[in-house]
Amino acid sequence: KNQVEQSPQSLIILEGKNCTLQCNYTVSPFSNLRWYKQDTGRGPVSLTIMTFSENTKSNGRYTATLDADTKQSSLHITASQLSDSASYICVVSEEQAGTALIFGKGTTLSVSS
Amino acid sequence: DAGVIQSPRHEVTEMGQEVTLRCKPISGHNSLFWYRQTMMRGLELLIYFNNNVPIDDSGMPEDRFSAKMPNASFSTLKIQPSEPRDSAVYFCASSSGLAGVYEQFFGPGTRLTVL
């Protein structure tokens, strides 16, 4: 069964610190992997989209990595800010044609001052 | 660009009542998606339209749920009759192409509470 597992479920860090969120998937065949940020009370917003041939992609202080061989991805946040407090959702696309998007349940990040 | 527009933002209703959620996708986008989000199950795709035609409705929970897209700028998700277990946040998203390839843009969601 195609699955996307995220860890940790929740995380608390101090402002200015770095952190890394993990995403493991069993989706096959794999098309692309996305990371979304969802602020409380709002819809998800795309941070990065990576195909199987891409190893890393950055969006400001957010850097996503992908290892298609081990089926693992990580999202690294550098110099965290209070505004980074949100849920981060990993989404894997099973195939290019169609709707097979498999969602993880997300990691809730709290950044405190 | 106003982004994806959803209404209402909040809906409180009693069990057995009909609920209609509305969505206006981003102009020019030809794919529209309805999602449901709960703490227990996370985000779940309910139905996907491409060029106003339902492509995949395998995520629709049961016959109480129905969705329509009469034109490229409007879609509805209806629940009749509603039940307490339908309480969730419902998101509409749109994209300029196939779900697995193109970025999806989400609306702000409708928080539904069924008493």
Side-chain angles (χ1 to χ4, degrees), chain B:
Chain B
D1 192 335
V4 176
I5 299 172
Q6 293 186 246
S7 65
R9 293 294 311 277
H10 302 273
E11 177 79 35
V12 180
T13 190
E14 293 187 345
M15 182 174 61
Q17 296 298 307
E18 177 180 299
V19 175
T20 299
L21 311 182
R22 297 172 175 81
C23 175
K24 176 179 171 57
I26 292 173
S27 177
H29 282 186
N30 62 359
S31 293
L32 182 141
F33 311 82
W34 282 101
Y35 291 92
R36 178 172 65 178
Q37 186 176 41
T38 62
M39 289 291 293
M40 289 294 294
R41 301 173 68 91
L43 267 170
E44 301 174 284
L45 176 66
L46 299 177
I47 187 169
Y48 158 43
F49 292 89
N50 183 253
N51 293 322
N52 311 337
V53 176
I55 302 299
D56 182 357
D57 65 354
S58 59
M60 296 287 264
E62 48 197 274
D63 292 344
R64 298 184 298 107
F65 285 69
S66 63
K68 294 182 179 180
M69 192 165 186
N71 56 63
S73 60
F74 183 66
S75 177
T76 60
L77 177 68
K78 183 179 295 184
I79 307 173
Q80 167 63 21
S82 59
E83 297 182 1
R85 60 192 170 114
D86 301 330
S87 297
V89 181
Y90 291 81
F91 288 101
C92 176
S94 70
S95 73
S96 56
L98 294 172
V101 178
Y102 293 86
E103 181 178 354
Q104 294 187 24
F105 295 83
F106 284 76
T110 295
R111 180 173 295 277
L112 174 65
T113 302
V114 183
L115 304 175

